[in-house]
């Protein structure tokens, strides 16, 4: 079975700042969320956990799986989407003139600029991870947990469930909420 969860909260989450690849740690609220998630999901079996190497995801994975014999493997392909010069920006939803605004409000027409990663680049790296790692583990009968980020997680969910880009944000995962994605995946293009 494949499961995916988003990291706990950070100060930047609370300030509505774009984090992207900026390596922001969990705050106390985020750590508490991860501890609560550990209790809530204690009955779910995981053979392996793949995590983003960014500290907020990796710390969430460690807290979530504390005391369990589950290896945590980091993979660069699970890092959050890069938002380029927009990282650290506050309240991007109030700035329709910013290119990054379109990513959240009109995703299928988003054009990356100012060092930001494109949706095609995000899908390429997460799709490669699904094909080269997840599919093999699922085919071997393993229960997999992915610990990641908002946009990165959505790219995985969209690819596994065949969700069109225009509906990219319809399955947004709240902080420290686990969703089940199934026992198998079709090969991702």
């Amino acid at each position: 079975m494949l499961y995916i969860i988003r990291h706990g909260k950070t100060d930047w989450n609370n300030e509505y700042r774009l984090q992207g690849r900026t390596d922001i740690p969990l705050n106390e609220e985020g750590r508490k969320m991860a501890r609560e998630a550990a209790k809530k999901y204690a009955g779910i079996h995981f053979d392996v956990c793949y995590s983003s190497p960014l500290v907020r995801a990796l710390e969430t994975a460690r807290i979530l799986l504390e005391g369990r014999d589950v290896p945590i493997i980091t993979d660069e392909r699970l890092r959050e989407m890069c938002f380029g010069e927009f990282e650290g920006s506050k309240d991007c939803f109030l700035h329709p003139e910013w290119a990054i605004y379109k990513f959240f409000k009109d995703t299928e027409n988003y054009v990356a600029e100012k060092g930001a990663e494109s949706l095609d680049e995000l899908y390429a790296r997460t799709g490669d991870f699904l094909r080269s790692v997840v599919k093999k583990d699922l085919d071997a009968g393993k229960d997999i947990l992915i610990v990641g980020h908002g946009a990165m997680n959505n790219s995985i969910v969209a690819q596994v469930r065949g969700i069109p880009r225009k509906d990219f944000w319809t399955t947004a995962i709240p902080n420290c909420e686990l969703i089940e994605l199934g026992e198998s995946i079709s090969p991702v293009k």
Side-chain angles (χ1 to χ4, degrees), residues 166-178:
K166 69 179 182 61
D167 298 323
F168 184 83
W169 290 107
T170 60
T171 58
I173 304 170
N175 294 95
C176 279
E177 288 295 321
L178 184 81

Side-chain angles (χ1 to χ4, degrees), residues 12 17-24 54 56 79-84 87-88 149:
W12 279 24
R17 289 187 185 272
L18 282 178
Q19 294 179 102
R21 296 223 176 130
T22 305
D23 208 4
I24 305 300
L54 296 178
R56 60 191 181 269
R79 291 171 69 191
E80 178 59 304
M81 185 173 189
C82 177
F83 298 125
E87 291 192 11
H149 310 273

Side-chain angles (χ1 to χ4, degrees), residues 62-81:
R62 288 176 176 150
I63 293 169
L64 186 67
L65 297 170
E66 188 174 350
R68 294 172 75 165
D69 187 23
V70 178
I72 299 171
I73 301 166
T74 60
D75 194 294
E76 290 293 320
R77 293 169 290 185
L78 299 177
R79 291 171 69 191
E80 178 59 304
M81 185 173 189

Side-chain angles (χ1 to χ4, degrees), residues 21 77 79-84 86-87 99-100 103 107-127 151-152 155 159 165 168:
R21 296 223 176 130
R77 293 169 290 185
R79 291 171 69 191
E80 178 59 304
M81 185 173 189
C82 177
F83 298 125
F86 296 103
E87 291 192 11
I100 203 70
F103 175 65
T107 308
E108 71 179 330
N109 293 308
Y110 166 66
V111 176
E113 64 176 50
K114 297 188 177 187
E117 185 175 16
S118 73
L119 203 55
D120 286 341
E121 291 167 326
L122 174 65
Y123 271 63
R125 68 179 165 87
T126 56
M152 189 285 296
S155 75
Q159 290 176 80
R165 290 181 182 203
F168 184 83

Side-chain angles (χ1 to χ4, degrees), residues 83-94:
F83 298 125
E85 291 180 24
F86 296 103
E87 291 192 11
S89 299
K90 272 183 93 170
D91 299 315
C92 71
F93 300 125
L94 303 177

